[in-house]
Amino acid sequence: MTTLIVIDQAPYGSWVGREALDMAFSLAAFDQPAAMLFTGAGVNWLRKGQQPSGVGQKSAEKNLSAAPLFGIEALIADKHACQHYGMDEAAMLSGVELSDNIQDVLSSHNQVVFAG
């Protein structure tokens, strides 16, 4: 049973997404299958070259790049949200799966947790 954690908020300005990321890593640390879906403004978590020092936070890029090493089964991005935020595959971290149909992603997981 895989838990899907959905992040739909921008990576900086709130701790909600960070807490969801911590939840995913915690699940994986205890051998509980987890995947992450980024939609809406949340797709910006997946953007390469983040420079968050101006807002006093660390880049999420390093954490997300290590997700597969820690047992996160998949990082999935809503393709339509990526297009809305001007992100193509070259602008995203490697290994991100794009999905045209978020409803299919949601229904393919036994548990879905929404951050925020």
Side-chain angles (χ1 to χ4, degrees), residues 59-84:
S59 173
E61 185 175 350
K62 291 180 182 178
N63 295 97
L64 289 171
S65 294
L69 299 172
F70 286 94
I72 304 299
E73 292 187 348
L75 299 175
I76 307 162
D78 177 350
K79 185 175 183 178
H80 302 290
C82 290
Q83 291 169 343
H84 176 79

